[in-house]
Amino acid sequence: MGRSTPPRQLSPAFGRLLRMLLLIFLASLILLGAFRLVQLLAFTRNALASEHAGDLARSFWMGLRFDAKVLSILYLPLGFLLAATVPLKPTTHATWTTSVARWWGFVVMTFLLILGVIDLFYIQFFQEHLNITAFGIIDDDTSAVLRSVWTDFPVLRIALGLSIAIFLLFMLMRRIARVHGRTFGLGSRIGLAVALIAAFLGLARGTLGDRPLGDGHSVVSNNALINQLPMNAPMAAQYAIKKYRIARNDEDLPSILRRNGFASISEAVSTYVGYPVTETNALEALVDSVPSSDSALARAHVVFLQMESLGSYYMHFDHGDFDLLGAFGPELNGLLWYPNFVSAAGGTMISMEGILFGSPFRNISQTSRAHMPLAYSAQRTFQRAGYETWYITGQRLGWQNLFTFFSQQGFNHLEGDVELAKFAPHAPTGEWGVHDEAMFERILNVLDSAQTPQFIYGMSISHHTPYDVPQGEFASRMVIPDSVTAIIRCAPDVARRNFIAFRYACDWLGYFLHKLRSSPQAQNTIVAITGDHTLKQTLNFGEQPLARYGVPLFLYIPEAYRRNATADTTLFASHHDIFPTLYHLTLPGARYLKVGGNLLSKERAEQPHAAVYSNTFALTQYDFVEWGSQFYATRDSVTGQMTRNVSPTPRQHTLIRWANAREAALAAFLMKEWQERDYIEGLLKR
């Protein structure tokens, strides 16, 4: 007779569950730590230098605390399950508790695995953890974004790897479920359960100090890349969701004021404008005006070009057979170029709303307020002065509810992919619409046929993944220098398509400027050119804020309109300063929302002279402050190198408070526009 297999001996429920919980917690810690190690080796290799050893050790220690915080929250229910087994007899097996713990652990670790992989590829693409920009997949043209992901990433290999990893997690949890545990007396069970839950609660808070462990604690170094190591994917996603809710204007005005450190609208506005105001005239102080005597010239046409992903960083690589600027290069001599310049934000729509409306919020176009006209938008300011206003793009006008939104916002004409395809049937098309050459042709056509002053806002699309522009002559002879190859952080073929798309957009921008300068409109047209945001996914750009966030501003101003201008192109500025500058060139007597200052004045209207990015950081010649992460640095005005301060200097504290006041003041103004349009329109007549 064959021997029968003896039944497996089951351990007491409490002891077995306690041991399972500790093993699951440890395995999860190892999983999160492994992602941090991959991030270090793949994206932060320069941090391995000996001079960063101390910072690196601190980053991993802080990362361990972040990981413990997340896991304590996720596994706290199992702690309560353990407490529920305390009253059971020591001999009770309660095998159902093993099944609950096993499947809970499997689901949590699978979630950590998938989110961690997404975060790693997000870092590869944007060189930052999951953040508010990730919601572009929701707010943007989702199908086009997903097709770009399919094009730019090895999706099938990633899916296969994840499937294998999830299977291994399943087998690991099956193995852990077979562990044995010792028998504990009632007193020991009570003590251990209480101690475990208390430990989870303590780790979930993360610190014994007044302030719970948060994103501000991730700053452990003077090196921005090392400061990304402590954060893990779940916490990054949590902060992104929180900031997204704030940016989508889910807060009321009192909450916005409190979050920025102000008790009233008048306090915020006084800090922003630099002089005391009362609660009754606070919003009036946010309305600025152009002196009526500023210009006796005929109104110039104004063309504003928002170029897709035109980052300053790329401008430095243009050389020889890596001629990225193409036809745009020769046109630079006739332009004012502001290199110390940043975008309003990191996404196309949020930057555009910051430029046109001075909005500190995110994606108004997709909220219930999309149908509410804003009297102080840039296009309405030109429209009130007698300009015909245009929005021209090769993009689909259904993108981000743009047609519905802009139809209410003072544009006489909206032209997107359908209109441009009819106007220029020869123009190439791609994933996002009709490529840029059609937009530039249409703008020239509008200017040539104009009988009245024209304001044209052009939005380009071609330098956007999947980079499906025509493969011109440059593509066949482009040679990527070794110095650029060494810092490419994506697949080589993706990088190559990226550079070709950048060159295509620059070529057509150059052709446009050349044709304009050769036309009768050359002496009465002003052109402003900037990028909507930088492009981070292709190259390692280092730590400097201007490399990470800088977009150039170029101004073409006919000589006749420069006579009262003082051009200091070393100023630190941002998107918010563009339209105040254009108003002073073209609209004598105009009243406008004080979103920034006139770059061509001898004395800029707002103090301090700063570039502000997305309610996140401010940059001046001497300082860099990122208040969300509590990163404060003194900046060498010559080299641009930054030296971190543990706490803000008095000058940096003033800069932070001014930037917070700016956000709160503009939020108050826009909310008042939405609530009492008649009152705001009345400010135009004063």
Side-chain angles (χ1 to χ4, degrees):
M1 293 180 61
R3 291 182 299 174
S4 60
T5 303
R8 184 165 63 92
Q9 295 297 313
L10 296 175
S11 302
F14 182 90
R16 186 174 67 253
L17 185 58
L18 176 63
R19 191 171 183 187
M20 282 186 65
L21 183 49
L22 294 177
L23 288 173
I24 292 171
F25 194 92
L26 177 61
S28 300
L29 271 181
I30 293 173
L31 177 62
L32 290 177
F35 280 118
R36 186 167 293 108
L37 184 60
V38 170
Q39 181 185 341
L40 170 65
L41 296 177
F43 310 128
T44 326
R45 289 180 184 173
N46 66 336
L48 294 172
S50 58
E51 65 265 24
H52 296 308
D55 291 345
L56 206 55
R58 283 192 295 274
S59 73
F60 271 78
W61 166 244
M62 187 60 69
L64 184 63
R65 291 174 58 188
F66 276 117
D67 296 347
K69 176 185 177 80
V70 167
L71 298 179
S72 296
I73 295 169
L74 293 175
Y75 289 127
L76 184 59
L78 293 187
F80 290 120
L81 178 63
L82 181 72
T85 66
V86 168
L88 301 178
K89 294 179 180 179
T91 56
T92 301
H93 299 311
T95 55
W96 66 271
T97 61
T98 302
S99 296
V100 170
R102 172 187 172 186
W103 285 105
W104 188 278
F106 174 70
V107 170
V108 167
M109 291 185 72
T110 300
F111 164 74
L112 295 176
L113 174 68
I114 294 174
L115 192 62
V117 169
I118 292 172
D119 188 49
L120 281 179
F121 279 98
Y122 192 87
I123 293 170
Q124 177 185 340
F125 200 85
F126 291 106
Q127 303 194 29
E128 295 180 69
H129 281 284
L130 288 165
N131 57 19
I132 193 170
T133 305
F135 287 93
I137 297 177
I138 299 172
D139 295 332
D140 215 325
D141 186 333
T142 307
S143 62
V145 171
L146 292 178
R147 282 192 289 272
S148 296
V149 169
W150 178 268
T151 302
D152 292 351
F153 292 99
V155 177
L156 293 180
R157 290 204 300 270
I158 294 170
L160 178 60
L162 273 175
S163 300
I164 294 171
I166 291 171
F167 174 74
L168 293 175
L169 284 180
F170 176 81
M171 298 303 294
L172 174 65
M173 296 309 302
R174 187 176 179 182
R175 180 70 178 268
I176 288 176
R178 294 176 177 173
V179 301
H180 295 277
R182 55 169 291 191
T183 301
F184 293 94
L186 179 61
S188 297
R189 294 199 299 274
I190 293 173
L192 286 170
V194 170
L196 185 72
I197 291 175
F200 275 175
L201 293 174
L203 291 172
R205 193 174 192 280
T207 177
L208 297 176
D210 294 335
R211 187 167 175 263
L213 188 70
D215 54 350
H217 291 88
S218 64
V219 178
V220 296
S221 169
N222 204 29
N223 185 300
L225 298 178
I226 291 179
N227 287 333
Q228 290 192 31
L229 289 172
M231 188 60 64
N232 55 42
M235 289 195 70
Q238 176 194 356
Y239 293 128
I241 292 170
K242 178 181 177 181
K243 291 175 181 177
Y244 180 72
R245 287 174 175 168
I246 291 172
R248 284 295 297 264
N249 189 27
D250 291 341
E251 293 181 301
D252 57 19
L253 184 56
S255 298
I256 294 172
L257 290 170
R258 282 195 303 272
R259 176 166 53 80
N260 285 285
F262 299 99
S264 64
I265 295 175
S266 59
E267 183 185 3
V269 174
S270 297
T271 304
Y272 175 47
V273 299
Y275 58 85
V277 300
T278 66
E279 204 69 14
T280 55
N281 72 349
L283 296 184
E284 185 176 354
L286 294 176
V287 179
D288 214 334
S289 61
V290 181
S292 298
S293 59
D294 258 20
S295 177
L297 295 172
R299 303 286 172 83
H301 302 309
V302 175
V303 177
F304 183 98
L305 296 174
Q306 176 183 297
M307 300 297 296
E308 175 64 44
S309 301
L310 179 65
S312 299
Y313 194 54
Y314 273 47
M315 306 288 291
H316 303 296
F317 298 110
D318 176 71
H319 183 71
D321 287 336
F322 197 55
D323 179 15
L324 286 180
L325 298 182
F328 182 46
E331 303 301 321
L332 289 174
N333 289 333
L335 305 178
L336 295 178
W337 179 357
Y338 291 82
N340 301 320
F341 204 83
V342 301
S343 58
T348 299
M349 193 66 189
I350 186 173
S351 281
M352 185 154 52
E353 290 181 351
I355 292 168
L356 287 173
F357 307 101
S359 171
F361 304 122
R362 182 183 180 89
N363 287 24
I364 304 171
S365 66
Q366 299 192 69
T367 69
S368 59
R369 289 167 171 158
H371 296 275
M372 299 181 183
L374 292 167
Y376 273 94
S377 65
Q379 61 272 26
R380 285 198 188 279
T381 303
F382 280 100
Q383 197 177 52
R384 283 192 296 270
Y387 278 70
E388 192 172 0
T389 56
W390 298 74
Y391 179 83
I392 301 176
T393 180
Q395 172 69 278
R396 291 179 288 274
L397 292 181
W399 170 77
Q400 297 212 19
N401 198 34
L402 193 144
F403 181 82
T404 300
F405 180 44
F406 275 4
S407 294
Q408 304 296 319
Q409 302 303 336
F411 282 110
N412 299 118
H413 309 278
L414 297 172
E415 294 190 352
D417 63 329
V418 174
E419 291 76 18
L420 291 195
K422 293 177 181 176
F423 170 76
H426 58 278
T429 60
E431 186 63 56
W432 292 91
V434 182
H435 279 301
D436 289 352
E437 57 191 83
M439 176 191 73
F440 288 118
E441 286 183 33
R442 179 57 174 150
I443 292 173
L444 286 170
N445 173 259
V446 170
L447 293 175
D448 287 342
S449 58
Q451 301 299 314
T452 59
Q454 306 291 306
F455 167 68
I456 304 171
Y457 194 107
M459 187 187 90
S460 87
I461 62 169
S462 292
H463 185 218
H464 193 297
T465 180
Y467 312 119
D468 50 8
V469 299
Q471 299 287 302
E473 180 266 339
F474 170 69
S476 63
R477 61 176 177 79
M478 180 180 70
V479 178
I480 302 175
D482 292 342
S483 58
V484 175
T485 301
I487 58 174
I488 289 176
R489 58 181 297 120
C490 63
D493 63 314
V494 174
R496 188 174 186 84
R497 294 202 314 271
N498 179 310
F499 297 139
I500 292 170
F502 185 87
R503 166 61 183 264
Y504 169 88
C506 286
D507 269 339
W508 284 97
L509 173 59
Y511 301 150
F512 164 79
L513 288 171
H514 180 74
K515 290 178 181 178
L516 175 65
R517 284 170 160 169
S518 304
S519 76
Q521 308 298 340
Q523 299 309 311
N524 69 329
T525 302
I526 293 172
V527 183
I529 305 160
T530 190
D532 53 353
H533 51 74
T534 54
L535 185 68
K536 299 179 181 178
Q537 62 264 37
T538 305
L539 303 174
N540 286 307
F541 50 78
E543 306 168 33
Q544 300 304 316
L546 286 174
R548 294 167 63 86
Y549 303 103
V551 295
L553 169 65
F554 303 101
L555 294 176
Y556 167 71
I557 306 172
E559 194 60 40
Y561 289 85
R562 292 196 193 190
R563 69 190 191 289
N564 294 324
T566 302
D568 178 4
T569 57
T570 66
L571 288 171
F572 280 71
S574 71
H575 279 162
H576 309 294
D577 300 294
I578 300 175
F579 274 104
T581 304
L582 296 177
Y583 298 150
H584 281 265
L585 286 170
T586 58
L587 303 181
R591 293 173 66 81
Y592 62 91
L593 177 59
K594 187 182 180 67
V595 297
N598 177 12
L599 294 172
L600 298 175
S601 69
K602 295 179 181 178
E603 202 60 47
R604 288 182 72 195
E606 85 286 5
Q607 295 291 335
H609 297 178
V612 182
Y613 177 90
S614 189
N615 310 326
T616 303
F617 73 74
L619 176 68
T620 71
Q621 183 178 1
Y622 303 107
D623 295 291
F624 174 71
V625 291
E626 192 168 2
W627 44 90
S629 62
Q630 299 184 56
F631 185 88
Y632 320 110
T634 301
R635 184 177 181 276
D636 187 295
S637 60
V638 177
T639 66
Q641 296 300 310
M642 295 182 297
T643 303
R644 184 190 168 204
N645 315 106
V646 176
S647 58
T649 65
R651 185 177 63 203
Q652 290 168 349
H653 178 77
T654 299
L655 178 60
I656 294 170
R657 187 155 176 81
W658 173 82
N660 287 338
R662 182 186 180 281
E663 177 189 354
L666 291 178
F669 193 95
L670 262 71
M671 286 182 149
K672 190 73 170 179
E673 278 204 84
W674 287 321
Q675 295 164 2
E676 297 183 40
R677 178 175 168 81
D678 290 344
Y679 169 77
I680 294 298
E681 287 187 332
L683 296 180
L684 291 167
K685 302 172 183 177
R686 299 185 184 182

